């Protein structure tokens, strides 16, 4: 099992790293991939994070899920041609994609959400083109190959949902209890 978490300058720190933390606790290989051309990436909160790879050097073989954290930098995802092509390929093949906060708007702009349930940070619902927008109290929603979540406060929920999808309900419950979430 392998997840690729994409980082760009302006990503939301907790949205990225909480999901990575939860997934790694479940034994799911979760790699940090920079789309900036350099491994050092600055979050929206001015925290420097060293990605393990750049997108140009990464081998995506065996990757089961692509994850886009939100934050003001989310618009850079659409500027990265290699990432856009990868997302399109995954979606066309029904492979898993997850996004949180403002990042689900990227999936909407790419046309991936037509006829699917989806959510985003309040104010970005208009960018979920063709989706059935899900509002509170839900914290995450999975519809087919797409999983979306609302924002920083739902990061652990998203991490546990990805664990459920890739490693099963029992493992998600085990991690939830271990981190005092459940």
């Amino acid at each position: 099992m392998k997840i690729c978490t994409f980082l760009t300058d302006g990503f939301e720190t907790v949205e990225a790293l909480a999901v990575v933390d939860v997934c790694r606790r479940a034994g799911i290989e979760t790699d940090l991939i920079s789309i900036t051309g350099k491994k050092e990436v600055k979050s929206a909160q001015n925290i420097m994070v060293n990605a393990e790879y750049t997108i140009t050097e990464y081998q995506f073989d065996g990757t089961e899920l692509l994850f886009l954290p939100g934050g003001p930098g989310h618009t850079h995802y659409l500027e990265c041609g290699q990432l856009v092509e990868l997302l399109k390929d995954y979606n066309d093949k029904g492979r898993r994609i997850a996004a949180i906060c403002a990042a689900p708007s990227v999936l909407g702009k790419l046309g991936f959400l037509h006829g699917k349930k989806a959510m985003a940070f309040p104010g970005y619902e208009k960018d979920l083109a063709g989706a059935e927008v899900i509002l509170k109290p839900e914290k995450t929603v999975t519809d087919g190959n797409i999983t979306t979540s609302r924002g920083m406060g739902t990061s652990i929920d998203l991490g546990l949902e990805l664990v459920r999808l890739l490693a099963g309900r029992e493992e998600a419950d085990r991690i939830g209890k271990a981190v005092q979430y459940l």
Side-chain angles (χ1 to χ4, degrees), residues 96 117 140-148 161-162 164-165:
R96 294 205 176 280
K117 295 176 182 175
T140 66
V141 62
T142 297
D143 192 341
N145 66 312
I146 305 285
T147 301
T148 53
E161 175 66 359
L162 299 184
R164 184 190 70 78
L165 292 168

Side-chain angles (χ1 to χ4, degrees), residues 108-163:
K109 290 174 182 173
L110 292 173
F112 296 176
L113 302 178
H114 287 280
K116 292 186 182 279
K117 295 176 182 175
M119 60 178 49
F121 191 82
Y124 286 92
E125 297 91 350
K126 66 188 178 321
D127 296 320
L128 305 180
E132 176 188 338
V133 176
I134 305 298
L135 303 172
K136 290 182 180 180
E138 300 300 322
K139 295 179 181 180
T140 66
V141 62
T142 297
D143 192 341
N145 66 312
I146 305 285
T147 301
T148 53
S149 191
R150 289 196 323 257
M152 185 187 89
T154 63
S155 298
I156 292 176
D157 298 277
L158 177 59
L160 291 172
E161 175 66 359
L162 299 184
V163 170

Side-chain angles (χ1 to χ4, degrees), residues 41-124:
V41 185
K42 183 189 270 188
S43 78
Q45 294 72 38
N46 294 315
I47 297 170
M48 299 305 291
V49 173
N50 286 313
E52 296 148 330
Y53 305 91
T54 62
I55 192 169
T56 56
E57 69 186 357
Y58 193 76
Q59 299 298 313
F60 290 93
D61 300 339
T63 300
E64 292 185 51
L65 187 142
L66 306 177
F67 169 49
L68 303 177
H74 78 279
T75 57
H76 299 303
Y77 294 135
L78 289 171
E79 298 167 0
C80 179
Q82 186 177 354
L83 177 58
V84 168
E85 290 308 310
L86 187 64
L87 288 166
K88 287 179 180 178
D89 181 60
Y90 267 63
N91 191 61
D92 289 347
K93 293 177 179 171
R95 297 178 75 188
R96 294 205 176 280
I97 300 170
I100 188 170
C101 192
S105 68
V106 171
L107 306 182
K109 290 174 182 173
L110 292 173
F112 296 176
L113 302 178
H114 287 280
K116 292 186 182 279
K117 295 176 182 175
M119 60 178 49
F121 191 82
Y124 286 92

